[in-house]
Coordinates of all heavy atoms in Angstrom, one line a residue:
Y150 N -14.5 28.6 28.0 CA -14.1 27.7 29.1 C -14.5 28.2 30.5 O -15.1 27.4 31.3 CB -12.5 27.5 29.1 CG -12.1 26.9 30.4 CD1 -12.3 25.5 30.6 CD2 -11.5 27.6 31.4 CE1 -11.9 24.9 31.8 CE2 -11.2 27.1 32.6 CZ -11.4 25.7 32.8 OH -11.1 25.2 34.0
T151 N -14.2 29.4 30.8 CA -14.5 29.9 32.1 C -16.1 29.9 32.4 O -16.5 29.6 33.5 CB -14.0 31.3 32.3 OG1 -12.6 31.4 32.0 CG2 -14.2 31.8 33.7
A152 N -16.8 30.2 31.3 CA -18.3 30.1 31.5 C -18.8 28.7 31.8 O -19.6 28.5 32.7 CB -19.0 30.6 30.2
S153 N -18.2 27.7 31.1 CA -18.6 26.4 31.3 C -18.2 25.9 32.7 O -18.9 25.2 33.4 CB -18.1 25.4 30.2 OG -16.7 25.4 30.2
A154 N -17.0 26.3 33.1 CA -16.5 25.9 34.4 C -17.3 26.5 35.6 O -17.7 25.8 36.5 CB -15.0 26.4 34.6
I155 N -17.7 27.8 35.5 CA -18.5 28.4 36.5 C -19.9 27.7 36.5 O -20.5 27.4 37.6 CB -18.6 29.9 36.3 CG1 -17.3 30.5 36.4 CG2 -19.6 30.5 37.3 CD1 -17.2 32.0 36.0
A156 N -20.5 27.5 35.3 CA -21.8 26.9 35.2 C -21.9 25.5 35.9 O -22.8 25.2 36.6 CB -22.3 26.9 33.8
A157 N -20.8 24.7 35.6 CA -20.8 23.4 36.1 C -20.5 23.3 37.6 O -21.2 22.7 38.4 CB -19.8 22.5 35.3
I158 N -19.4 24.0 38.0 CA -18.9 23.9 39.3 C -19.8 24.6 40.3 O -20.1 24.2 41.4 CB -17.4 24.3 39.4 CG1 -16.6 23.4 38.5 CG2 -16.9 24.3 40.8 CD1 -15.1 23.9 38.3
A159 N -20.1 25.9 40.0 CA -20.9 26.7 40.9 C -22.4 26.4 40.9 O -23.1 26.6 41.9 CB -20.6 28.2 40.6
F160 N -22.9 26.0 39.7 CA -24.4 25.9 39.6 C -24.8 24.5 39.2 O -26.0 24.3 39.0 CB -24.9 26.9 38.6 CG -24.6 28.3 39.0 CD1 -23.6 29.1 38.4 CD2 -25.3 29.0 40.0 CE1 -23.4 30.4 38.8 CE2 -25.1 30.3 40.4 CZ -24.1 31.0 39.8
D161 N -23.9 23.6 39.1 CA -24.2 22.2 38.8 C -24.9 22.0 37.5 O -25.7 21.1 37.3 CB -25.0 21.5 39.9 CG -24.6 20.1 40.1 OD1 -23.4 19.7 39.8 OD2 -25.4 19.2 40.5
R162 N -24.7 22.9 36.5 CA -25.2 22.8 35.2 C -24.4 21.8 34.4 O -23.2 21.6 34.6 CB -25.2 24.1 34.4 CG -25.9 25.3 35.1 CD -27.4 25.1 35.1 NE -28.1 26.2 35.6 CZ -29.4 26.2 35.8 NH1 -30.2 25.2 35.6 NH2 -30.0 27.3 36.3
P163 N -25.1 21.0 33.5 CA -24.4 20.0 32.7 C -23.5 20.6 31.6 O -23.8 20.4 30.4 CB -25.5 19.1 32.2 CG -26.7 20.1 32.1 CD -26.5 21.0 33.3
A164 N -22.6 21.4 32.0 CA -21.7 22.0 31.0 C -20.4 21.2 30.8 O -20.0 20.5 31.7 CB -21.3 23.4 31.5
V165 N -19.9 21.3 29.6 CA -18.7 20.5 29.2 C -17.5 21.4 29.5 O -17.3 22.4 28.8 CB -18.8 20.0 27.8 CG1 -17.5 19.2 27.4 CG2 -20.0 19.2 27.5
V166 N -16.6 20.9 30.4 CA -15.5 21.8 30.8 C -14.2 21.1 30.3 O -13.9 19.9 30.7 CB -15.5 21.9 32.4 CG1 -14.3 22.8 32.8 CG2 -16.8 22.4 32.9
V167 N -13.4 21.8 29.5 CA -12.2 21.2 29.0 C -11.0 22.2 29.2 O -10.9 23.3 28.5 CB -12.3 21.0 27.5 CG1 -11.0 20.3 26.9 CG2 -13.5 20.1 27.2
D168 N -10.2 21.9 30.1 CA -8.9 22.7 30.3 C -7.7 21.8 29.8 O -7.9 20.8 29.2 CB -8.8 23.1 31.8 CG -8.4 22.0 32.7 OD1 -8.5 20.8 32.3 OD2 -8.0 22.2 33.9
G169 N -6.5 22.3 30.1 CA -5.4 21.5 29.6 C -5.3 20.1 30.2 O -4.9 19.2 29.4
N170 N -5.6 20.0 31.4 CA -5.6 18.6 32.0 C -6.6 17.7 31.4 O -6.4 16.5 31.1 CB -5.9 18.7 33.5 CG -4.7 19.2 34.3 OD1 -3.6 18.7 34.1 ND2 -4.9 20.1 35.2
V171 N -7.8 18.3 31.2 CA -8.9 17.4 30.5 C -8.5 17.1 29.1 O -8.8 16.0 28.6 CB -10.3 18.2 30.6 CG1 -11.4 17.4 29.9 CG2 -10.6 18.5 32.1
E172 N -7.9 18.0 28.4 CA -7.5 17.7 27.0 C -6.6 16.5 27.0 O -6.7 15.6 26.2 CB -6.7 18.9 26.5 CG -7.5 20.0 25.9 CD -6.7 21.1 25.2 OE1 -5.5 21.1 25.3 OE2 -7.3 22.0 24.5
R173 N -5.7 16.5 27.9 CA -4.7 15.3 28.0 C -5.4 14.0 28.3 O -5.2 13.0 27.7 CB -3.6 15.6 29.1 CG -2.5 14.6 29.1 CD -1.3 15.1 29.9 NE -1.6 15.5 31.2 CZ -1.7 16.7 31.6 NH1 -1.6 17.7 30.8 NH2 -2.0 17.0 32.9
V174 N -6.3 14.0 29.3 CA -7.0 12.8 29.7 C -7.9 12.3 28.6 O -7.8 11.1 28.2 CB -7.9 13.1 31.0 CG1 -8.8 11.9 31.3 CG2 -7.0 13.4 32.2
V175 N -8.6 13.2 28.0 CA -9.6 12.7 27.0 C -8.9 12.3 25.7 O -9.3 11.3 25.0 CB -10.6 13.8 26.7 CG1 -11.5 13.5 25.5 CG2 -11.5 14.1 27.9
S176 N -7.8 13.1 25.3 CA -7.1 12.7 24.1 C -6.5 11.3 24.2 O -6.3 10.6 23.2 CB -6.0 13.8 23.7 OG -5.0 13.8 24.7
R177 N -6.0 11.0 25.4 CA -5.5 9.6 25.7 C -6.6 8.6 25.7 O -6.5 7.5 25.2 CB -4.7 9.7 27.0 CG -3.3 10.4 26.9 CD -2.6 10.6 28.2 NE -1.4 11.2 28.0 CZ -0.5 11.5 29.0 NH1 -0.9 11.3 30.3 NH2 0.6 12.1 28.8
M178 N -7.6 8.9 26.4 CA -8.7 8.0 26.6 C -9.3 7.5 25.3 O -9.6 6.3 25.0 CB -9.8 8.6 27.5 CG -10.9 7.7 27.9 SD -12.2 8.5 28.9 CE -11.2 8.8 30.4
F179 N -9.5 8.5 24.3 CA -10.1 8.2 23.0 C -9.0 8.1 21.9 O -9.3 7.9 20.8 CB -11.1 9.3 22.7 CG -12.3 9.2 23.5 CD1 -12.4 9.9 24.7 CD2 -13.4 8.5 23.1 CE1 -13.5 9.8 25.5 CE2 -14.6 8.4 23.9 CZ -14.6 9.1 25.1
R180 N -7.7 8.3 22.3 CA -6.6 8.2 21.4 C -6.8 9.1 20.2 O -6.8 8.6 19.0 CB -6.3 6.8 21.0 CG -4.9 6.5 20.6 CD -4.6 5.0 20.6 NE -3.2 4.8 20.2 CZ -2.8 4.6 18.9 NH1 -3.7 4.7 18.0 NH2 -1.6 4.4 18.6
I181 N -7.1 10.4 20.4 CA -7.4 11.3 19.4 C -6.1 11.8 18.8 O -5.2 12.4 19.4 CB -8.2 12.5 20.0 CG1 -9.5 12.0 20.5 CG2 -8.3 13.6 19.0 CD1 -10.3 13.0 21.3
T182 N -5.9 11.5 17.5 CA -4.6 11.7 16.8 C -4.5 13.0 16.1 O -3.5 13.4 15.6 CB -4.4 10.6 15.7 OG1 -5.5 10.6 14.8 CG2 -4.2 9.2 16.4
D183 N -5.6 13.8 16.1 CA -5.6 15.2 15.5 C -4.6 16.0 16.3 O -4.4 15.9 17.5 CB -6.9 15.8 15.5 CG -8.0 15.0 14.8 OD1 -8.2 13.9 15.2 OD2 -8.6 15.6 13.9
Q184 N -3.9 16.9 15.6 CA -2.9 17.8 16.2 C -3.6 19.0 16.8 O -4.5 19.6 16.2 CB -1.9 18.2 15.2 CG -0.7 18.9 15.8 CD 0.3 19.3 14.6 OE1 0.2 20.3 14.0 NE2 1.3 18.4 14.4
L185 N -3.2 19.4 18.0 CA -3.7 20.7 18.6 C -3.2 21.9 17.7 O -2.1 21.8 17.2 CB -3.2 20.9 20.0 CG -3.8 19.9 21.0 CD1 -3.1 20.1 22.4 CD2 -5.3 20.2 21.3

Side-chain angles (χ1 to χ4, degrees):
Y150 165 75
T151 307
S153 63
I155 296 171
I158 298 169
F160 300 105
D161 217 30
R162 300 291 188 188
V165 180
V166 184
V167 183
D168 70 349
N170 283 317
V171 177
E172 277 186 352
R173 185 166 57 258
V174 171
V175 174
S176 65
R177 290 173 175 176
M178 187 179 293
F179 290 87
R180 209 164 175 271
I181 295 171
T182 57
D183 302 58
Q184 189 180 88
L185 289 172

